[in-house]
Amino acid sequence: MVLNIKRASSLDGATVNVQDILKPFDHQVGGHTPFTSLAHGHLLKPCDEREIYFYQKMPKILKKIAPLCCSTIQGSSVSTFDDSCHNCRQHHQLENVIIPESIEGSPILNKRKLSKNFIVLSDLTYRMKSPRILDLKLGTRQHGDQATMAKIACMTAKCQSTTSASLGIRLCGMKCPPCDSKNQMAINKYEGRAMDKLELFMALQQFFDVPEMVLELVQRKLIAIRDVLNEADGVRLFGASLLIVIESEPSESTPIDNLVRIKVVDFANSTFNGFQGDNFYEGRDEGSILGLETLLGIVQA
Ligand SMILES: [Zn+2]
């Protein structure tokens, strides 16, 4: 299916008021790519072609741990997946949309101007009133097989000098809303990179300072992701993040399962066997599993 997405540079024949469906996304904590909020609980993420292909060809087992991807946009062509959400299949909300360079002052294009390409993902913070958000870079290696020597050296050094190499996680962004007289707490990726093991543990303990019932839910969801990675032979989540979102002001009508959402995100450098002529890997992704085990050790303490 080809829909009529146009870029701001070719403003002609607009049929949808873009302000009605695109809003700046307020809950981003990690990464350098600005996300834009789309109607019905979706995010518009600028990405490179590789990440589009990754979502298009993603092995079934990984779909359990990735956010739902409803559509991909390449230039003026939109593809909506067969397993997209009900809303995307019914309403084609992206039809005749012009994607502007910015919305309400927030850029939609990323710095690298790769943004002829977008993916439309489910927003983990959707319908949460006051989400706690944690973005942890996962694994002990972040560069993909296509990285240049300079990039490999830089990213390997970053892993060695941070908690990535020893713990399989590094704090990339964290935001806890103000509550119980405590001020909002926010940690960015630069502060995360500077953290040693103890500082990381202390920050995570603050993040997971939630009711016991919620913490048990976090544990169950982390174990489910670890179990998938244990089975995912040949998958390597280089450079991916674990995104954890917890509702801190649940209403009585919020289903318990919706209080915690955890997904693996950012697959631009990830691979699986047979993907894009990448190297062949055997067995499970030990680096990412180390990260999950570290985190489970903290939430189970
Ligand atoms: Zn959808």
Side-chain angles (χ1 to χ4, degrees), residues 40 42 68-71 84-89 93 120:
H40 310 298
H42 297 80
L68 179 65
C69 180
C70 288
S71 312
S84 67
C85 76
H86 175 75
N87 247 307
C88 290
R89 267 175 293 147
Q93 59 174 334
V120 177

